[in-house]
Amino acid sequence: MSRNEGEQEPVVVRDRRRIDPVTGQRRTPAPNGEEAQVAETISGTLDEEIVKGAAQEAAEPTAEQPAGEQATGEQAELQKQVDELTADLKRVTAEYANYRKRVERDRESVIAAAKASVAGDLLTVLDDLERAEAHGDLNGAFKAVADKLITALNSAGLEAFGAEGDEFDPSVHEAVQHSTSPDVSGPTVTVVLRRGYRFADRVLRPAMVAVTDHEPAAEPAGSAEPAADENQAEQG
């Protein structure tokens, strides 16, 4: 057997279809007027391509079918993100409002503490002015300056306390002397040795005072003798 006789001639398949089964487009006729030739082996590759093209055409409508469900899922996810961002915005807004309130309270506290510190340093000056007034030395231009200083401190929030006749309060009074008397009904401030001062609700210095406590009045000596005579008469 010769070599040419042993080799098998390839099978030539002529595709006479005017529509391409793969692309779905109309085929252009060959320039020489002959149909397009597709050289295939006996394995049937052309049939596989035809089946593949038909499967792709059948799968196209099913791919477009769940588009509405996909859009609904994306919308739900976006709404979830919007809700989370809205909750975060509300939380941050509330935290910022609380922060502003806290900063405002701290600022007012710092200002009040600074004013109280300045007023506390001037208490000794006020004591000197009070002693000068008691001795009659506070007059003329010196008195005008002292009045302006006291008015400015009072306007800032400084308040003096401690006067004779006040009820003794250990939280604002410092008792350095103590006595008793039947003329008072309880612990009473009878002498103010040094005035106290407070700034707003803060006591800068307690008042130094003398306190008189209540003492029951002694019974008259003459009233005790008739009572003794009556007791002796009853016993006889």
Side-chain angles (χ1 to χ4, degrees):
M1 181 182 296
S2 63
R3 181 177 179 181
N4 293 334
E5 292 178 355
E7 295 180 356
Q8 186 177 1
E9 296 181 359
V11 178
V12 178
V13 179
R14 299 183 182 276
D15 188 359
R16 301 177 181 273
R17 291 175 294 182
R18 297 182 179 182
I19 304 299
D20 193 329
V22 178
T23 63
Q25 301 294 329
R26 180 182 178 85
R27 289 179 175 176
T28 303
N32 55 3
E34 299 181 356
E35 296 82 357
Q37 296 183 0
V38 180
E40 297 289 346
T41 61
I42 301 179
S43 59
T45 307
L46 179 60
D47 294 337
E48 293 178 359
E49 293 293 333
I50 294 173
V51 173
K52 182 178 179 181
Q56 290 179 354
E57 293 178 357
E60 288 179 357
T62 58
E64 298 176 355
Q65 188 174 6
E69 298 178 357
Q70 184 178 2
T72 304
E74 292 179 354
Q75 184 177 3
E77 182 66 22
L78 291 176
Q79 184 63 38
K80 181 180 179 181
Q81 295 179 3
V82 169
D83 294 340
E84 292 177 355
L85 293 176
T86 303
D88 293 341
L89 179 60
K90 291 180 179 179
R91 177 179 55 80
V92 172
T93 303
E95 290 179 354
Y96 180 68
N98 294 332
Y99 168 76
R100 289 187 59 186
K101 293 179 181 179
R102 184 170 63 254
V103 169
E104 185 65 21
R105 287 195 305 267
D106 294 342
R107 185 180 69 86
E108 293 178 355
S109 177
V110 170
I111 293 175
K115 291 181 178 179
S117 178
V118 174
D121 293 338
L122 294 175
L123 294 184
T124 55
V125 177
L126 296 179
D127 293 339
D128 294 338
L129 294 176
E130 187 175 359
R131 284 191 291 266
E133 185 178 9
H135 289 83
D137 298 333
L138 190 62
N139 47 39
F142 186 45
K143 179 174 176 55
V145 173
D147 292 341
K148 288 183 180 180
L149 176 61
I150 294 173
T151 302
L153 291 174
N154 291 336
S155 300
L158 184 66
E159 179 185 358
F161 63 88
E164 296 180 0
D166 291 347
E167 183 179 357
F168 176 73
D169 185 356
S171 63
V172 295
H173 294 143
E174 180 182 356
V176 294
Q177 295 179 5
H178 183 267
S179 60
T180 57
S181 173
D183 298 334
V184 296
S185 59
T188 306
V189 175
T190 53
V191 179
V192 178
L193 303 177
R194 188 184 65 185
R195 302 181 71 181
Y197 290 93
R198 67 167 59 93
F199 192 92
D201 297 334
R202 178 181 178 184
V203 177
L204 299 180
R205 188 181 70 184
M208 186 180 297
V209 298
V211 180
T212 301
D213 206 348
H214 174 69
E215 180 182 4
E219 296 183 359
S223 61
E225 294 179 357
D229 296 339
E230 290 178 0
N231 291 335
Q232 291 177 0
E234 291 177 357
Q235 291 177 0

